[in-house]
Amino acid sequence: MLASLAREVLELLEVPERAPERPVDPLQAELGLADLPSFAAPLEQLEGLGGGDGPVAAPEDAVLRRLLPDAYGDDPQASAEFRRFTERGLRERKAENARGMLAALAPVAGQGGRVQLDAEGARTWLAALNDIRLALGTRLGVRDDVDAFAELDEDDPARWAWAVYDFTTHLQETLVRSMGRGGA
């Protein structure tokens, strides 16, 4: 179920997987130059230099608007400018978190079992669970002051979605508590 939800967030974000890393030249590594970008790489693909080419309008989909909110609620022009420089990177980080969750789940896929997370994996899962919960909560119309789940009939199909939302909330809370105790 978690893998399916992570894949849905990935599909919604529409971020292609990154190309595999280029091989490191041994001489370049020995000289400490392995992290420098290749001169053959186009400028717009270099990390940090390709900014400013993102969208300026907020997404039409309500879930994407929740995952990629406006930076300035009272200034649409400033929000558009901020979005232009940051949305692509935000989408990529969210997609990376979802992929990290999928990678951790892969060994137990279809057979169940335990997933062990180190500190970095726990942070990745927290971010991915947060995005999953935001997406589910937006679709369900979750509000802080309303317990809509309690108001649903027993045979209402939305009960399943609410149960999944509740489960992901429990996972996130458990992970936060585990990290607070020094474990992950």
Side-chain angles (χ1 to χ4, degrees):
M1 177 186 64
L2 286 175
S4 175
L5 292 168
R7 281 190 293 271
E8 287 183 34
V9 168
L10 269 173
E11 286 177 24
L12 191 63
L13 291 168
E14 297 179 325
V15 176
E17 291 215 38
R18 289 182 182 233
E21 295 289 322
R22 62 184 170 86
V24 175
D25 180 316
L27 179 60
Q28 205 176 9
E30 186 176 328
L31 295 173
L33 304 173
D35 292 333
L36 295 177
S38 164
F39 289 111
L43 275 179
E44 63 270 14
Q45 291 181 355
L46 295 177
E47 188 76 21
L49 296 179
D53 60 351
V56 294
E60 303 241 344
D61 182 82
V63 172
L64 276 177
R65 277 195 312 275
R66 185 71 174 108
L67 292 174
L68 310 165
D70 282 334
Y72 307 97
D74 57 347
D75 189 343
Q77 186 175 1
S79 284
E81 191 68 6
F82 187 81
R83 182 177 299 282
R84 184 168 70 97
F85 286 97
T86 61
E87 185 172 308
R88 183 176 70 194
L90 183 57
R91 282 179 186 253
E92 287 172 353
R93 281 189 304 280
K94 288 178 178 296
E96 188 176 313
N97 291 328
R99 287 185 187 114
M101 177 182 267
L102 288 169
L105 289 168
V108 297
Q111 57 196 7
R114 294 181 66 130
V115 174
Q116 294 282 146
L117 301 173
D118 59 12
E120 184 61 31
R123 285 188 291 277
T124 296
W125 270 57
L126 279 177
L129 283 168
N130 189 60
D131 290 340
I132 288 168
R133 289 185 63 250
L134 285 172
L136 282 169
T138 300
R139 292 283 189 241
L140 291 169
V142 172
R143 302 287 178 254
D144 290 337
D145 58 344
V146 177
D147 187 12
F149 182 70
E151 298 172 8
L152 294 173
D153 292 333
E154 285 290 321
D155 60 344
D156 191 323
R159 286 185 71 82
W160 169 251
W162 277 92
V164 171
Y165 178 81
D166 189 50
F167 173 70
T168 56
T169 301
H170 174 73
L171 280 179
Q172 189 177 36
E173 181 180 343
T174 302
L175 189 52
V176 167
R177 286 187 181 170
S178 174
M179 291 175 72
R181 289 190 301 264

